Short mmCIF file of all heavy atoms in Angstrom, two decimals:
data_model
loop_
_atom_site.label_atom_id
_atom_site.label_comp_id
_atom_site.label_asym_id
_atom_site.label_seq_id
_atom_site.Cartn_x
_atom_site.Cartn_y
_atom_site.Cartn_z
N ALA W 1 -18.65 -6.45 8.53
CA ALA W 1 -17.54 -6.73 9.43
C ALA W 1 -17.63 -5.85 10.67
O ALA W 1 -18.24 -4.77 10.64
CB ALA W 1 -16.22 -6.49 8.72
N GLY W 2 -17.03 -6.31 11.73
CA GLY W 2 -16.98 -5.51 12.95
C GLY W 2 -16.00 -4.36 12.83
O GLY W 2 -15.34 -4.17 11.81
N ARG W 3 -15.91 -3.59 13.89
CA ARG W 3 -15.03 -2.44 13.88
C ARG W 3 -13.60 -2.84 14.19
O ARG W 3 -13.33 -3.85 14.84
CB ARG W 3 -15.50 -1.41 14.90
CG ARG W 3 -16.82 -0.76 14.52
CD ARG W 3 -17.15 0.37 15.48
NE ARG W 3 -18.36 1.08 15.08
CZ ARG W 3 -18.84 2.14 15.71
NH1 ARG W 3 -18.20 2.62 16.77
NH2 ARG W 3 -19.93 2.73 15.28
N GLY W 4 -12.68 -2.02 13.70
CA GLY W 4 -11.27 -2.26 13.94
C GLY W 4 -10.45 -1.17 13.27
O GLY W 4 -10.98 -0.17 12.79
N VAL W 5 -9.17 -1.38 13.23
CA VAL W 5 -8.27 -0.45 12.56
C VAL W 5 -8.33 -0.72 11.06
O VAL W 5 -8.16 -1.87 10.63
CB VAL W 5 -6.83 -0.60 13.07
CG1 VAL W 5 -5.87 0.28 12.27
CG2 VAL W 5 -6.75 -0.27 14.55
N GLU W 6 -8.56 0.31 10.28
CA GLU W 6 -8.65 0.14 8.83
C GLU W 6 -7.29 0.37 8.19
O GLU W 6 -6.68 1.44 8.34
CB GLU W 6 -9.69 1.11 8.24
CG GLU W 6 -11.11 0.78 8.65
CD GLU W 6 -12.13 1.60 7.89
OE1 GLU W 6 -11.77 2.66 7.34
OE2 GLU W 6 -13.30 1.18 7.83
N ALA W 7 -6.82 -0.63 7.47
CA ALA W 7 -5.53 -0.57 6.80
C ALA W 7 -5.72 -0.72 5.30
O ALA W 7 -6.72 -1.29 4.84
CB ALA W 7 -4.59 -1.66 7.32
N LEU W 8 -4.77 -0.21 4.55
CA LEU W 8 -4.68 -0.48 3.12
C LEU W 8 -3.51 -1.41 2.89
O LEU W 8 -2.42 -1.20 3.43
CB LEU W 8 -4.48 0.80 2.32
CG LEU W 8 -4.18 0.59 0.82
CD1 LEU W 8 -4.96 1.57 -0.03
CD2 LEU W 8 -2.69 0.72 0.52
N VAL W 9 -3.74 -2.45 2.10
CA VAL W 9 -2.65 -3.33 1.68
C VAL W 9 -2.82 -3.53 0.17
O VAL W 9 -3.94 -3.77 -0.31
CB VAL W 9 -2.69 -4.69 2.40
CG1 VAL W 9 -1.49 -5.54 1.97
CG2 VAL W 9 -2.67 -4.51 3.91
N GLY W 10 -1.75 -3.42 -0.58
CA GLY W 10 -1.88 -3.58 -2.02
C GLY W 10 -0.57 -3.91 -2.69
O GLY W 10 0.50 -3.89 -2.06
N LEU W 11 -0.66 -4.22 -3.96
CA LEU W 11 0.50 -4.46 -4.80
C LEU W 11 0.49 -3.46 -5.94
O LEU W 11 -0.58 -3.12 -6.46
CB LEU W 11 0.49 -5.88 -5.38
CG LEU W 11 0.40 -7.06 -4.42
CD1 LEU W 11 0.39 -8.37 -5.20
CD2 LEU W 11 1.54 -7.05 -3.41
N VAL W 12 1.67 -3.01 -6.33
CA VAL W 12 1.78 -2.12 -7.48
C VAL W 12 3.08 -2.45 -8.20
O VAL W 12 4.07 -2.80 -7.59
CB VAL W 12 1.73 -0.63 -7.05
CG1 VAL W 12 2.92 -0.27 -6.18
CG2 VAL W 12 1.64 0.29 -8.25
N ARG W 13 3.05 -2.35 -9.52
CA ARG W 13 4.20 -2.74 -10.33
C ARG W 13 4.99 -1.51 -10.74
O ARG W 13 4.44 -0.51 -11.19
CB ARG W 13 3.72 -3.49 -11.59
CG ARG W 13 4.84 -3.94 -12.52
CD ARG W 13 4.27 -4.76 -13.68
NE ARG W 13 3.65 -5.98 -13.20
CZ ARG W 13 4.33 -7.10 -12.88
NH1 ARG W 13 5.64 -7.12 -13.01
NH2 ARG W 13 3.70 -8.15 -12.45
N HIS W 14 6.30 -1.61 -10.57
CA HIS W 14 7.22 -0.57 -11.05
C HIS W 14 8.40 -1.25 -11.72
O HIS W 14 9.22 -1.89 -11.07
CB HIS W 14 7.71 0.32 -9.89
CG HIS W 14 6.69 1.28 -9.40
ND1 HIS W 14 6.15 2.26 -10.20
CD2 HIS W 14 6.08 1.41 -8.19
CE1 HIS W 14 5.27 2.97 -9.50
NE2 HIS W 14 5.21 2.47 -8.29
N GLU W 15 8.46 -1.11 -13.03
CA GLU W 15 9.57 -1.71 -13.76
C GLU W 15 10.82 -0.83 -13.61
O GLU W 15 10.71 0.38 -13.47
CB GLU W 15 9.19 -1.86 -15.24
CG GLU W 15 8.01 -2.78 -15.50
CD GLU W 15 8.18 -4.18 -14.97
OE1 GLU W 15 9.32 -4.56 -14.55
OE2 GLU W 15 7.20 -4.93 -14.95
N PRO W 16 12.01 -1.44 -13.58
CA PRO W 16 12.27 -2.85 -13.90
C PRO W 16 12.22 -3.77 -12.69
O PRO W 16 12.64 -4.93 -12.77
CB PRO W 16 13.71 -2.77 -14.43
CG PRO W 16 14.33 -1.72 -13.59
CD PRO W 16 13.25 -0.69 -13.38
N PHE W 17 11.70 -3.29 -11.56
CA PHE W 17 11.78 -4.06 -10.32
C PHE W 17 10.66 -5.07 -10.14
O PHE W 17 10.77 -5.99 -9.35
CB PHE W 17 11.79 -3.10 -9.13
CG PHE W 17 12.83 -2.04 -9.22
CD1 PHE W 17 12.47 -0.71 -9.43
CD2 PHE W 17 14.18 -2.34 -9.15
CE1 PHE W 17 13.43 0.29 -9.52
CE2 PHE W 17 15.15 -1.36 -9.24
CZ PHE W 17 14.77 -0.05 -9.43
N GLY W 18 9.55 -4.89 -10.85
CA GLY W 18 8.42 -5.79 -10.69
C GLY W 18 7.46 -5.31 -9.62
O GLY W 18 7.33 -4.11 -9.37
N LEU W 19 6.78 -6.25 -8.98
CA LEU W 19 5.75 -5.91 -8.00
C LEU W 19 6.36 -5.53 -6.65
O LEU W 19 7.34 -6.10 -6.20
CB LEU W 19 4.80 -7.07 -7.80
CG LEU W 19 3.77 -7.33 -8.90
CD1 LEU W 19 2.99 -8.60 -8.61
CD2 LEU W 19 2.81 -6.14 -9.06
N GLY W 20 5.71 -4.56 -6.02
CA GLY W 20 6.03 -4.20 -4.65
C GLY W 20 4.76 -4.15 -3.84
O GLY W 20 3.65 -4.13 -4.38
N ILE W 21 4.91 -4.12 -2.52
CA ILE W 21 3.76 -4.12 -1.62
C ILE W 21 3.64 -2.77 -0.93
O ILE W 21 4.64 -2.16 -0.55
CB ILE W 21 3.85 -5.27 -0.59
CG1 ILE W 21 2.56 -5.36 0.24
CG2 ILE W 21 5.09 -5.12 0.29
CD1 ILE W 21 2.45 -6.64 1.05
N VAL W 22 2.41 -2.29 -0.81
CA VAL W 22 2.11 -1.04 -0.14
C VAL W 22 1.27 -1.36 1.09
O VAL W 22 0.34 -2.16 1.02
CB VAL W 22 1.31 -0.09 -1.05
CG1 VAL W 22 1.02 1.22 -0.34
CG2 VAL W 22 2.07 0.17 -2.34
N VAL W 23 1.59 -0.74 2.21
CA VAL W 23 0.76 -0.88 3.41
C VAL W 23 0.67 0.49 4.07
O VAL W 23 1.63 1.27 4.04
CB VAL W 23 1.32 -1.93 4.39
CG1 VAL W 23 2.68 -1.50 4.93
CG2 VAL W 23 0.36 -2.18 5.55
N GLY W 24 -0.51 0.78 4.62
CA GLY W 24 -0.67 2.07 5.27
C GLY W 24 -2.04 2.21 5.89
O GLY W 24 -2.82 1.26 5.94
N VAL W 25 -2.31 3.42 6.35
CA VAL W 25 -3.62 3.72 6.93
C VAL W 25 -4.66 3.66 5.82
O VAL W 25 -4.48 4.28 4.76
CB VAL W 25 -3.60 5.10 7.60
CG1 VAL W 25 -5.00 5.47 8.10
CG2 VAL W 25 -2.60 5.13 8.74
N GLY W 26 -5.74 2.92 6.03
CA GLY W 26 -6.76 2.73 5.00
C GLY W 26 -8.04 3.48 5.29
O GLY W 26 -8.10 4.34 6.16
N GLY W 27 -9.08 3.15 4.52
CA GLY W 27 -10.37 3.80 4.67
C GLY W 27 -10.64 4.80 3.57
O GLY W 27 -9.88 4.91 2.60
N VAL W 28 -11.70 5.56 3.72
CA VAL W 28 -12.13 6.45 2.64
C VAL W 28 -11.21 7.64 2.44
O VAL W 28 -11.19 8.26 1.38
CB VAL W 28 -13.58 6.94 2.91
CG1 VAL W 28 -14.56 5.80 2.85
CG2 VAL W 28 -13.67 7.68 4.25
N LEU W 29 -10.41 7.97 3.44
CA LEU W 29 -9.53 9.14 3.34
C LEU W 29 -8.09 8.75 3.00
O LEU W 29 -7.18 9.54 3.21
CB LEU W 29 -9.55 9.92 4.66
CG LEU W 29 -10.91 10.49 5.09
CD1 LEU W 29 -10.77 11.20 6.42
CD2 LEU W 29 -11.45 11.43 4.03
N VAL W 30 -7.90 7.57 2.43
CA VAL W 30 -6.55 7.05 2.25
C VAL W 30 -5.68 7.97 1.41
O VAL W 30 -4.52 8.22 1.73
CB VAL W 30 -6.60 5.63 1.66
CG1 VAL W 30 -7.28 5.60 0.31
CG2 VAL W 30 -5.20 5.05 1.55
N GLU W 31 -6.21 8.51 0.32
CA GLU W 31 -5.39 9.35 -0.56
C GLU W 31 -5.18 10.74 0.03
O GLU W 31 -4.23 11.42 -0.32
CB GLU W 31 -6.01 9.44 -1.95
CG GLU W 31 -5.87 8.12 -2.72
CD GLU W 31 -6.45 8.23 -4.13
OE1 GLU W 31 -6.88 9.31 -4.51
OE2 GLU W 31 -6.46 7.21 -4.83
N LEU W 32 -6.06 11.15 0.94
CA LEU W 32 -5.88 12.43 1.62
C LEU W 32 -4.82 12.31 2.71
O LEU W 32 -3.94 13.15 2.86
CB LEU W 32 -7.21 12.91 2.21
CG LEU W 32 -7.18 14.25 2.95
CD1 LEU W 32 -6.81 15.37 1.98
CD2 LEU W 32 -8.52 14.53 3.60
N VAL W 33 -4.88 11.21 3.46
CA VAL W 33 -3.91 10.98 4.54
C VAL W 33 -2.54 10.66 3.99
O VAL W 33 -1.51 11.14 4.45
CB VAL W 33 -4.42 9.84 5.46
CG1 VAL W 33 -3.38 9.52 6.52
CG2 VAL W 33 -5.75 10.23 6.10
N LYS W 34 -2.49 9.81 2.96
CA LYS W 34 -1.25 9.41 2.28
C LYS W 34 -0.17 8.98 3.27
O LYS W 34 0.94 9.50 3.28
CB LYS W 34 -0.74 10.55 1.39
CG LYS W 34 -1.59 10.77 0.15
CD LYS W 34 -0.97 11.77 -0.80
CE LYS W 34 -1.82 11.90 -2.06
NZ LYS W 34 -1.28 12.90 -3.01
N ASP W 35 -0.53 8.05 4.11
CA ASP W 35 0.42 7.52 5.09
C ASP W 35 0.64 6.05 4.76
O ASP W 35 -0.10 5.18 5.19
CB ASP W 35 -0.12 7.68 6.51
CG ASP W 35 0.84 7.14 7.56
OD1 ASP W 35 2.06 7.30 7.36
OD2 ASP W 35 0.37 6.54 8.54
N ALA W 36 1.63 5.79 3.94
CA ALA W 36 1.87 4.42 3.47
C ALA W 36 3.36 4.19 3.29
O ALA W 36 4.15 5.12 3.15
CB ALA W 36 1.14 4.16 2.15
N ALA W 37 3.75 2.92 3.32
CA ALA W 37 5.14 2.51 3.09
C ALA W 37 5.17 1.46 2.00
O ALA W 37 4.18 0.72 1.79
CB ALA W 37 5.75 1.97 4.38
N PHE W 38 6.30 1.38 1.31
CA PHE W 38 6.43 0.50 0.14
C PHE W 38 7.70 -0.32 0.26
O PHE W 38 8.73 0.15 0.73
CB PHE W 38 6.48 1.36 -1.12
CG PHE W 38 6.72 0.58 -2.39
CD1 PHE W 38 5.67 0.04 -3.11
CD2 PHE W 38 8.02 0.39 -2.87
CE1 PHE W 38 5.90 -0.67 -4.29
CE2 PHE W 38 8.25 -0.31 -4.04
CZ PHE W 38 7.19 -0.84 -4.75
N ASP W 39 7.63 -1.57 -0.20
CA ASP W 39 8.82 -2.41 -0.32
C ASP W 39 8.63 -3.33 -1.51
O ASP W 39 7.50 -3.61 -1.93
CB ASP W 39 9.06 -3.23 0.95
CG ASP W 39 10.51 -3.66 1.11
OD1 ASP W 39 11.31 -3.47 0.17
OD2 ASP W 39 10.86 -4.18 2.18
N LEU W 40 9.74 -3.78 -2.04
CA LEU W 40 9.69 -4.71 -3.16
C LEU W 40 9.48 -6.13 -2.65
O LEU W 40 9.85 -6.47 -1.53
CB LEU W 40 10.99 -4.63 -3.97
CG LEU W 40 11.20 -3.30 -4.69
CD1 LEU W 40 12.61 -3.21 -5.25
CD2 LEU W 40 10.18 -3.12 -5.80
N LEU W 41 8.89 -6.95 -3.50
CA LEU W 41 8.60 -8.33 -3.15
C LEU W 41 9.73 -9.26 -3.57
O LEU W 41 10.51 -8.92 -4.46
CB LEU W 41 7.30 -8.78 -3.82
CG LEU W 41 6.03 -8.08 -3.33
CD1 LEU W 41 4.83 -8.52 -4.16
CD2 LEU W 41 5.78 -8.36 -1.86
N PRO W 42 9.83 -10.44 -2.94
CA PRO W 42 8.98 -10.92 -1.84
C PRO W 42 9.42 -10.35 -0.50
O PRO W 42 10.53 -9.83 -0.37
CB PRO W 42 9.20 -12.44 -1.89
CG PRO W 42 10.60 -12.60 -2.40
CD PRO W 42 10.80 -11.48 -3.39
N ILE W 43 8.53 -10.44 0.49
CA ILE W 43 8.86 -10.01 1.85
C ILE W 43 8.72 -11.18 2.80
O ILE W 43 8.02 -12.15 2.51
CB ILE W 43 7.97 -8.84 2.32
CG1 ILE W 43 6.49 -9.26 2.31
CG2 ILE W 43 8.20 -7.61 1.47
CD1 ILE W 43 5.58 -8.27 3.02
#
């Protein structure tokens, strides 16, 4: 792929609420940067 802004997008489950969506700065340093936001689905 070409170059661009690297983002992380994902789903994670937390009961009793079910699945939520995570979005934030992505790439190899994602867990070091830890810049993400979360919301419950659907959006």
Side-chain angles (χ1 to χ4, degrees):
R3 292 187 176 183
V5 174
E6 292 189 340
L8 172 137
V9 183
L11 304 180
V12 64
R13 180 176 296 279
H14 285 298
E15 298 302 350
F17 307 110
L19 285 174
I21 187 167
V22 181
V23 64
V25 175
V28 294
L29 299 179
V30 61
E31 288 182 3
L32 181 63
V33 176
K34 289 187 177 178
D35 180 38
F38 175 88
D39 203 351
L40 294 170
L41 293 175
I43 60 168

